[in-house]
Amino acid sequence: MQTPSKQQLRTQETQARLLDAAEQVFVSDGYEAAQLDAIAAKAGRSKGAVYTHFKSKEDLFLVLFEQRTRAYIDGLIASLKECTSRTESRAAFRAFYVGLEKDTTWPILTLEFKLFALRHPEWKQRFRKSFELAKGRRGEADESEIFGPLRGEQKIDNELAIVALGPILSGLMLESHFEPELLSERGLRRILARIFDALFPSTY
Amino acid sequence: MQTPSKQQLRTQETQARLLDAAEQVFVSDGYEAAQLDAIAAKAGRSKGAVYTHFKSKEDLFLVLFEQRTRAYIDGLIASLKECTSRTESRAAFRAFYVGLEKDTTWPILTLEFKLFALRHPEWKQRFRKSFELAKGRRGEADESEIFGPLRGEQKIDNELAIVALGPILSGLMLESHFEPELLSERGLRRILARIFDALFPSTY
DNA sequence: AAAAAGATACCGACCAGTCAGTTTTATGTC
DNA sequence: GACATAAAACTGACTGGTCGGTATCTTTTT
């Protein structure tokens, strides 16, 4: 891998800036209300720059989705790779999930992505691609069978639990804005931990 | 209470039609993308009619929120009122909550409401009013102390659990569109039941 | 006859997307 | 190295469609 040219660096820099700015604006205003001018300004660029790097507002949003989903999965995989025993894996998974309560952006962003996908069936295919990529990589990591060798109902419950974690976090995160005392950082951690332990009993 | 005049009936009819149409369009398109023309058309009225009954698009949305929140709480209270024992109350609450998985509109609508409130702090006051009304009525119903006489940590965990239920349902409902096999109606019921039982143990 | 509900045509602000022109980087050639 | 030329990144002004809101007129109810 050779050192990137000045132009490649420039491109990377601008794209990263635009994606970061887009993330902020999409989360705080929502996809529809988000303005490309605002995103560009926050990135220290002009709207024209957006269009040299992305095909459209929708494309920018989808690339952001793909990029962030990959990063999220990478983080999860990384924290699982090091584990050697099943108990260790479970603890790492639990810590990763419960620790997400500190990130106020990601849970809302995923909500926005899913609402968008729901309402733009023409992009569903592209979303599915990322979902399945993520699923595949999680599957790989799960070769070690973190939760088990499971069969029948147990296996289904486990899969159910895995797909449920993210949405539950998103829902709670959003609610925390309206119940700041109860769903404080501490409260969130507490209830997330309870839910995790209920969905993933430490012994089967 | 005297029989309503023809005009009052007309008004009620139109408002109900507009609110029903608004609910559908807001859910399927999202607040920002929803068009008043579309809402009016779906209600068999014109945009002008919207403005004889509501101050603005925002007002329509907020009235819808207030109306639906009241209806939701009414439903919950009604199913609790009949109970005489604590076990009965718990079962009724559980059935009510787990049964919500059949309603695909309400969970998404609440998401939309909360995202709106998050992004329009100028309306936060009006939202809070409805939230507190709902909370108050739930408190009344809870005079029978459905979940027990609780103290300390237990009491906090119980309150946490109560506010968590709704958002969890919303998150899962949204996710079910992307995991239709796992989060089928049956799958949803199953995981909702598990979560409920974990958050509200039948014995303390 | 007057007041309320509703329809329709219209306006103006807003904003995604475009385009012509400028700056920056890459690729030569001597 | 200096200089020319092309290509890519970027800017800023502009445009055209969209849609919340309004004003005027018609219909229904009192």
Side-chain angles (χ1 to χ4, degrees):
Chain A
M1 125 172 158
Q2 56 192 11
T3 111
S5 73
K6 211 167 177 180
Q7 224 178 73
Q8 283 172 321
L9 284 175
R10 199 189 180 191
T11 295
Q12 281 171 25
E13 160 91 7
T14 297
Q15 289 184 352
R17 278 164 159 274
L18 286 173
L19 286 174
D20 286 348
E23 180 176 57
Q24 291 177 47
V25 177
F26 282 137
V27 165
S28 74
D29 296 357
Y31 173 79
E32 291 289 345
Q35 300 178 18
L36 291 184
D37 281 314
I39 292 173
K42 184 159 284 203
R45 296 288 186 277
S46 74
K47 193 164 55 173
V50 174
Y51 282 89
T52 69
H53 293 283
F54 305 95
K55 282 202 261 297
S56 62
K57 187 183 182 183
E58 289 175 335
D59 185 52
L60 169 62
F61 190 63
L62 286 162
V63 170
L64 178 67
F65 166 70
E66 286 155 358
Q67 207 275 317
R68 294 297 194 259
T69 300
R70 227 176 299 125
Y72 169 79
I73 279 290
D74 285 347
L76 177 59
I77 302 293
S79 73
L80 286 179
K81 271 270 167 64
E82 319 243 317
C83 304
T84 53
S85 74
R86 205 166 288 166
T87 16
E88 230 177 2
S89 297
R90 182 181 178 279
F93 190 43
R94 187 182 193 275
F96 181 83
Y97 174 63
V98 176
L100 282 177
E101 118 278 337
K102 268 172 253 162
D103 180 359
T104 56
T105 299
W106 172 246
I108 304 295
L109 192 63
T110 56
L111 273 186
E112 206 63 38
F113 286 142
K114 299 215 163 113
L115 286 171
F116 182 92
L118 193 65
R119 289 158 180 170
H120 297 77
E122 68 271 24
W123 293 109
K124 208 160 189 178
Q125 194 54 32
R126 198 161 154 188
F127 274 98
R128 191 178 296 277
K129 247 187 181 166
S130 275
F131 283 141
E132 277 170 15
L133 194 109
K135 216 172 185 172
R137 297 204 51 199
R138 216 194 49 225
E140 275 176 55
D142 203 32
E143 269 171 16
S144 58
E145 294 197 317
I146 304 176
F147 297 108
L150 303 175
R151 288 179 235 122
E153 293 265 293
Q154 267 187 2
K155 195 176 167 71
I156 289 180
D157 275 348
N158 191 64
E159 282 178 35
L160 259 172
I162 288 177
V163 306
L165 284 184
I168 288 175
L169 176 63
S170 291
L172 288 175
M173 204 63 167
L174 181 55
E175 188 73 15
S176 73
H177 288 276
F178 304 95
E179 295 283 354
E181 307 89 23
L182 266 174
L183 291 173
S184 60
E185 203 176 305
R186 194 173 165 287
L188 268 174
R189 235 184 359 251
R190 197 176 167 84
I191 196 158
L192 287 177
R194 276 182 76 189
I195 290 173
F196 186 93
D197 290 338
L199 295 184
F200 300 102
S202 48
T203 62
Y204 283 96
Chain B
M1 127 170 153
Q2 55 192 10
T3 112
S5 73
K6 211 167 178 182
Q7 221 176 75
Q8 284 173 321
L9 284 175
R10 199 189 181 194
T11 294
Q12 280 171 24
E13 159 92 7
T14 297
Q15 288 184 353
R17 278 165 159 275
L18 286 173
L19 286 173
D20 286 348
E23 179 175 56
Q24 289 177 48
V25 176
F26 281 137
V27 165
S28 74
D29 296 356
Y31 173 79
E32 291 288 344
Q35 299 178 19
L36 291 184
D37 282 313
I39 292 172
K42 184 158 282 198
R45 296 288 183 278
S46 73
K47 193 165 56 174
V50 173
Y51 280 89
T52 69
H53 293 282
F54 305 95
K55 281 202 262 298
S56 62
K57 187 184 182 183
E58 289 175 335
D59 185 53
L60 169 61
F61 190 64
L62 287 162
V63 170
L64 178 67
F65 166 69
E66 286 154 0
Q67 206 274 318
R68 293 298 193 259
T69 300
R70 225 176 300 125
Y72 170 79
I73 278 289
D74 285 347
L76 176 60
I77 302 293
S79 72
L80 286 180
K81 272 272 168 60
E82 319 244 316
C83 304
T84 53
S85 74
R86 206 166 288 167
T87 15
E88 231 177 2
S89 297
R90 183 181 179 279
F93 190 44
R94 187 182 192 275
F96 181 82
Y97 174 65
V98 175
L100 282 176
E101 118 278 337
K102 269 172 250 160
D103 180 0
T104 56
T105 299
W106 170 248
I108 304 293
L109 193 63
T110 56
L111 272 186
E112 207 63 40
F113 286 142
K114 298 214 163 117
L115 286 171
F116 182 91
L118 193 65
R119 289 159 179 169
H120 297 77
E122 68 271 24
W123 294 108
K124 208 158 190 179
Q125 193 55 32
R126 199 161 154 190
F127 274 97
R128 190 177 297 276
K129 246 187 183 165
S130 275
F131 284 140
E132 278 171 14
L133 194 110
K135 216 171 185 172
R137 297 205 50 201
R138 213 194 53 225
E140 275 175 55
D142 203 31
E143 269 171 16
S144 58
E145 295 197 318
I146 304 174
F147 297 108
L150 304 174
R151 288 181 234 121
E153 294 264 293
Q154 268 187 1
K155 195 176 167 71
I156 290 180
D157 274 349
N158 192 63
E159 282 179 33
L160 259 173
I162 289 177
V163 307
L165 284 184
I168 288 175
L169 176 64
S170 291
L172 288 174
M173 204 61 165
L174 181 55
E175 189 73 14
S176 73
H177 288 276
F178 304 95
E179 295 283 352
E181 308 90 24
L182 266 174
L183 292 174
S184 60
E185 202 175 306
R186 194 174 164 285
L188 268 174
R189 236 186 356 253
R190 196 176 168 82
I191 197 158
L192 286 177
R194 277 182 75 192
I195 291 174
F196 186 93
D197 291 336
L199 295 184
F200 300 102
S202 48
T203 61
Y204 282 96

